[in-house]
Each structure stands twice: as structure tokens, then as C-alpha cells.
Amino acid sequence: MTAPIPRDIPDLPAVPGPPALLPSPVPATAVVTPVRRPVAAVYRLLTAALAATGVMIELLLAGPSTRALSHFSVQSGILLAVVLALSARRALTARRPLPSALTGAVLLYAVTASLVHHLLLTNTASPFALTEAPTGWHAVSGALLDTAVPLAAAADWLFLTVPGRMRLRQAAAWMLFPLLYLAFSLGRGELLLPHSAGRYLYPFLDVDQHGYRGVLGNALLLGLALYALAVLIVALDHARPNALRRPC
């Protein structure tokens, strides 16, 4: 004889959610075949070598190494050489590409150094044009750091990387290094003797000539232009076509 079925069946407690999946012991590389990019690796190594050559020339010719290392173009060249060397190693060993926040930053700094050189320092129509054009090996290092290397880095970004990886929020973070450089440049000028040669390495940051108000005004305009350039790079990164099927 069976027990009677109760009329009121209590509600079962709701399932809190789908069960959490345990991490798979199979690595992703076992599912997706890693692809080496020897062409991208060689290209990035050559670009890093060009940047390192330009930096070495500046260090050998500029007298005290601290003065050569104080230039924004030299600092951006060092950063670019290191990042491209690391990126080349990852492309050769089929590892994930470097974060776009890092590669985009060094690209921005290299392009900024090039634009400042060509539009402000060597342009005769600019109020900040240098009185003497570089000659000899200084001209060679300038051609490498301010022309060849930025163009090569831009070509690497356009043709050897997957688009759409940069984010707009990264543009604001990229402004940190230029701000630190501004503070470094003004602090360096205060530590040197007044009116000493090479106290301020860029005419638009020359406090002796423009005063702090003028220098900060110039820095503000350059900072706004730099941020606009960063936003443009992010926009182009999402608008450009995909030249690769897989990340380099």
C-alpha cells in the first residue's frame, strides 16, 4: 500500500546559477596552432637596430651622456627599440603580442618626436626653428631618430599588427610620459647655471626666453596637440583594414 500524495508540494529552492566550469588542463596552444612570424620579427629587429644606432650616435657625439639622454627623441628612441625587440621575440616564438597600450605609446612618442623636429625645429616658418641645422653625424642620427625610425614604426603598426586593439582610454594614459618629461626638462634647467649652453634643449621650453608662463602655455598647446594625435591613432587603428589574419 502506497502513501497518499500530498496536495501541497513545497517549492524547491531555486538553482543559484549554472555550475562554474573548472579550468581546462589543456592549454590554448594545444587548440590553436601557434604561428611564428619571422618576417615581422626581422622587420622589428631591423627597426630596433636603427633606433639603437641613432641613440648610440647621439651618445657618442653629444659630449656628456646625460645631455644626450635628456632629449625627448633619444628617450623615445630607446623605448621604441626595447619594445620592438621584445615584440620581435614574441613574433618569432609565436607568443601573444605585446599589449596595445605599450606598443601604441611608443608609436605615439616616436611620431611626436618626428613631428616636433620637422614642424617646429627645422621648419623655417616656425617661431621655434633652430638657428643652426645639424650637420655630419648629428644629421645622420637626426635622420634616423626623427624620420626613418618613426616611419618604420608606423609601417609596422599599419601592416604587421591586427587593427582594433587600441582603446580610447589609453590615450589619456599615454600623456603621462610627456608630462614627466616636461617636469624633468624644467627641473634640469633649474639645476644648471643661468644662461648656460644647453640649459633648455628645446626652444619652446626655454624659460630664459619665454618665462614660465610662456613655457607652460607652449606645453599646454603641445599637450593638446599630442592628445589629439593619440586619439587620431586610436581612431585609425579601428578604421584601418586588417592586413593579417592573426596577430604578429
Side-chain angles (χ1 to χ4, degrees):
M1 184 175 182
T2 59
I5 300 176
R7 296 181 179 180
D8 297 331
I9 300 177
D11 296 334
L12 297 177
V15 179
L21 298 178
L22 297 177
S24 174
V26 181
T29 54
V31 180
V32 180
T33 305
V35 177
R36 292 181 174 84
R37 303 285 183 176
V39 175
V42 172
Y43 181 84
R44 289 165 185 169
L45 283 178
L46 291 176
T47 305
L50 286 179
T53 301
V55 171
M56 290 302 300
I57 294 175
E58 285 293 326
L59 293 177
L60 293 175
L61 297 180
S65 59
T66 54
R67 179 176 178 180
L69 291 174
S70 299
H71 285 85
F72 185 85
S73 58
V74 173
Q75 295 181 11
S76 61
I78 294 174
L79 292 175
L80 183 67
V82 172
V83 170
L84 285 181
L86 295 175
S87 182
R89 183 176 182 274
R90 293 200 171 206
L92 191 60
T93 56
R95 297 178 60 189
R96 291 177 58 86
L98 293 176
S100 60
L102 181 60
T103 56
V106 295
L107 173 66
L108 174 65
Y109 304 149
V111 173
T112 298
S114 177
L115 293 178
V116 168
H117 175 79
H118 290 287
L119 298 181
L120 296 180
L121 301 181
T122 59
N123 183 11
T124 56
S126 169
F128 307 113
L130 298 175
T131 56
E132 296 182 2
T135 57
W137 285 106
H138 285 291
V140 174
S141 64
L144 290 176
L145 294 176
D146 299 320
T147 303
V149 170
L151 288 176
D156 172 71
W157 166 60
L158 289 174
F159 302 112
L160 296 178
T161 60
V162 172
R165 298 178 60 228
M166 296 181 182
R167 298 294 179 263
L168 184 60
R169 63 178 180 272
Q170 296 172 350
W174 294 341
M175 298 298 104
L176 180 60
F177 176 64
L179 286 175
L180 292 176
Y181 182 81
L182 174 63
F184 163 77
S185 179
L186 296 180
R188 175 183 178 275
E190 287 297 324
L191 294 176
L192 297 178
L193 295 176
H195 305 288
S196 60
R199 185 183 182 193
Y200 297 102
L201 300 176
Y202 295 97
F204 46 83
L205 298 180
D206 193 336
V207 177
D208 293 336
Q209 183 177 358
H210 304 288
Y212 274 103
R213 178 177 297 180
V215 166
L216 293 179
N218 295 334
L220 177 60
L221 293 177
L222 287 175
L224 293 176
L226 181 59
Y227 182 75
L229 178 61
V231 173
L232 177 61
I233 290 177
V234 174
L236 290 177
D237 185 61
H238 288 266
R240 63 189 176 95
N242 189 358
L244 296 174
R245 294 182 179 180
R246 296 184 180 181
C248 284

